[in-house]
Amino acid sequence: MDLSSQEKKAPTLVIDSHVHIGAIGKDYQIVTAQDLQDSMDNAGIAISIVVSDDFDSGDDWQGVSSDEAIKQCANNPRLKVVGNFSLRREAAQQEHEICQQIETKAICGVKFYPGYENYFPVDQRPQTIYKLCATLRVPVIFHTGFLQEGTLGNQEQTHPRNIEALAEQHPDLKIIMAHFGNPWVQETAKAIAKHNNLYVDLSGFFTEYKTVLSTELVEFQGAMTTFANIAGGFSKCLFGTDWPLYSQKEYLAAVKTLPMNEREQKLVFWENATLLFDR
Ligand SMILES: [Zn+2]
C-alpha cells in the first residue's frame, strides 16, 4: 500500500456541530457531558458543539440552560457550548448575559427556536441579539423544518424562506440552518446557493432513538444528493447529529456515504465548524 492510499484511509478529524445534554435521552433519561464524551470516543469524534435549549417548547422537553452547559463543559477542550435565545426570559437581562458569554468565550454561537416558541425569525424581539452576533462574528443557529407535535408555534415559522429573509436583513450575520430545512430540502438548497452567509447542519434526519435502517439511509442519500445538485455541492454543510436523539456513530457512518469530494469532506467534518465557531 503506498502513502497516498494510506492518506485516503486516514480517518478525517470530525466535529459534531449539533448535540444536546439534559433530560432528552430516550424516555427523558438524563444525558450528561460525560455520556457525550463516551459516545464521542465510541464514534471517533474529536469535538462536539453542545447546544443549550432551555426554551419554552410547550411540552416535556428538558434540555439545559447555557449556564448548566457551560458548567458541564468547563475546561474541556473537546466540548464547546452554544447559548440560546428564549422569549420566556427577560429581554435586557438575556441580552446582557449572552453578550458577556460571547465576550468571555463561554459560548461560541446562539441558537433560536422560532417554531417552538411561536415567532418568525425576522421578529423584532431577537434583533438586538442578531446585531450583537453579527458585530462579534458569532454564528446563529436556527431550528428549521419538521416541528414536534404540541409545540407552541407552527410549521410555517420553520420554513427556509424565513431564514432567507433574515439573511437578507443581516448580510453580515452567519446563519446555520439546523436539520437542512428537512422536508424543504430543495428550498433550503436554493437559499444556500443564493446567500453567502447561510450554512446547513446535516443533523436530525433519521428516526429518533432508533437504529438507522437501510431504507432510511437510501432516503437520506437521495435527499442530500438533490440538495447538493441544487446548492452546488456540500461545501456549506456541517456534520451534526442531534445526539442523543441519534447515535453519533451511526450518523457519522451515514454522512460518510454521501458523494463528497475530498475538499468537501474536510469542510463538512471540520473546517466549516472551525471557521464559524472559532473566533
Ligand atoms: Zn437539536
Side-chain angles (χ1 to χ4, degrees), residues 18-20 51 53 61 111 113 143 178-179 203 242 245:
H18 190 143
V19 303
H20 300 274
V51 181
D53 51 1
W61 178 280
K111 175 92 185 269
Y113 297 85
H143 175 87
H179 323 308
S203 71
D242 223 2
L245 281 69

Side-chain angles (χ1 to χ4, degrees), residues 220-231:
F220 180 60
Q221 289 163 334
M224 292 320 301
T225 303
T226 303
F227 174 92
N229 286 340
I230 298 170

Side-chain angles (χ1 to χ4, degrees), residues 102-174:
I102 292 172
E103 280 177 345
T104 57
K105 300 201 172 186
I107 60 171
C108 61
V110 182
K111 175 92 185 269
F112 298 79
Y113 297 85
Y116 284 97
E117 286 204 308
N118 196 19
Y119 67 94
F120 282 87
V122 291
D123 194 284
Q124 277 309 306
R125 291 166 289 184
Q127 291 291 337
T128 309
I129 309 233
Y130 297 156
K131 285 178 196 149
L132 179 76
C133 289
T135 307
L136 298 177
R137 286 182 292 147
V138 166
V140 294
I141 307 173
F142 278 83
H143 175 87
T144 61
F146 284 121
L147 267 184
Q148 285 170 14
E149 270 179 44
T151 51
L152 300 175
N154 61 65
Q155 205 74 59
E156 185 58 29
Q157 294 162 328
T158 66
H159 193 283
R161 75 169 76 90
N162 302 305
I163 304 295
E164 275 209 87
L166 185 68
E168 280 159 20
Q169 220 176 46
H170 297 278
D172 295 333
L173 182 63
K174 301 270 193 247

Side-chain angles (χ1 to χ4, degrees), residues 6-230:
Q6 282 275 18
E7 229 173 67
K8 275 184 191 142
K9 291 224 176 289
T12 320
L13 278 169
V14 178
I15 297 176
D16 184 339
S17 296
H18 190 143
V19 303
H20 300 274
I21 53 175
I24 58 169
K26 199 168 184 327
D27 302 322
Y28 300 108
Q29 190 192 333
I30 293 172
V31 292
T32 63
Q34 185 54 56
D35 297 322
L36 171 59
Q37 280 194 90
D38 294 345
S39 165
M40 289 162 68
D41 289 342
N42 183 39
I45 289 170
I47 294 173
S48 286
I49 313 287
V50 178
V51 181
S52 61
D53 51 1
D54 60 336
F55 59 93
D56 189 0
S57 67
D59 68 7
D60 290 339
W61 178 280
Q62 282 174 43
V64 290
S65 67
S66 49
D67 279 345
E68 174 62 21
I70 291 163
K71 201 169 93 189
Q72 286 201 37
C73 302
N75 304 318
N76 189 331
R78 295 182 68 195
L79 305 178
K80 285 175 179 283
V81 175
V82 162
N84 76 99
F85 167 87
S86 174
L87 290 179
R88 73 174 169 185
R89 294 196 294 271
E90 201 271 314
Q93 174 66 16
Q94 174 167 227
E95 285 156 15
H96 173 74
E97 275 171 16
I98 288 178
C99 183
Q100 220 172 28
Q101 287 167 343
I102 292 172
E103 280 177 345
T104 57
K105 300 201 172 186
I107 60 171
C108 61
V110 182
K111 175 92 185 269
F112 298 79
Y113 297 85
Y116 284 97
E117 286 204 308
N118 196 19
Y119 67 94
F120 282 87
V122 291
D123 194 284
Q124 277 309 306
R125 291 166 289 184
Q127 291 291 337
T128 309
I129 309 233
Y130 297 156
K131 285 178 196 149
L132 179 76
C133 289
T135 307
L136 298 177
R137 286 182 292 147
V138 166
V140 294
I141 307 173
F142 278 83
H143 175 87
T144 61
F146 284 121
L147 267 184
Q148 285 170 14
E149 270 179 44
T151 51
L152 300 175
N154 61 65
Q155 205 74 59
E156 185 58 29
Q157 294 162 328
T158 66
H159 193 283
R161 75 169 76 90
N162 302 305
I163 304 295
E164 275 209 87
L166 185 68
E168 280 159 20
Q169 220 176 46
H170 297 278
D172 295 333
L173 182 63
K174 301 270 193 247
I175 306 169
I176 302 167
M177 301 162 78
H179 323 308
F180 54 96
N182 186 35
W184 299 296
V185 177
Q186 297 189 19
E187 291 86 342
T188 304
K190 282 180 202 158
I192 290 290
K194 196 168 156 201
H195 300 280
N196 281 338
N197 54 332
L198 286 187
Y199 295 80
V200 298
D201 83 34
L202 302 178
S203 71
F205 185 85
F206 302 101
T207 310
E208 289 172 15
Y209 308 114
K210 299 247 171 76
T211 207
V212 175
L213 301 173
S214 56
T215 47
E216 290 177 321
L217 181 60
V218 170
E219 224 180 289
F220 180 60
Q221 289 163 334
M224 292 320 301
T225 303
T226 303
F227 174 92
N229 286 340
I230 298 170

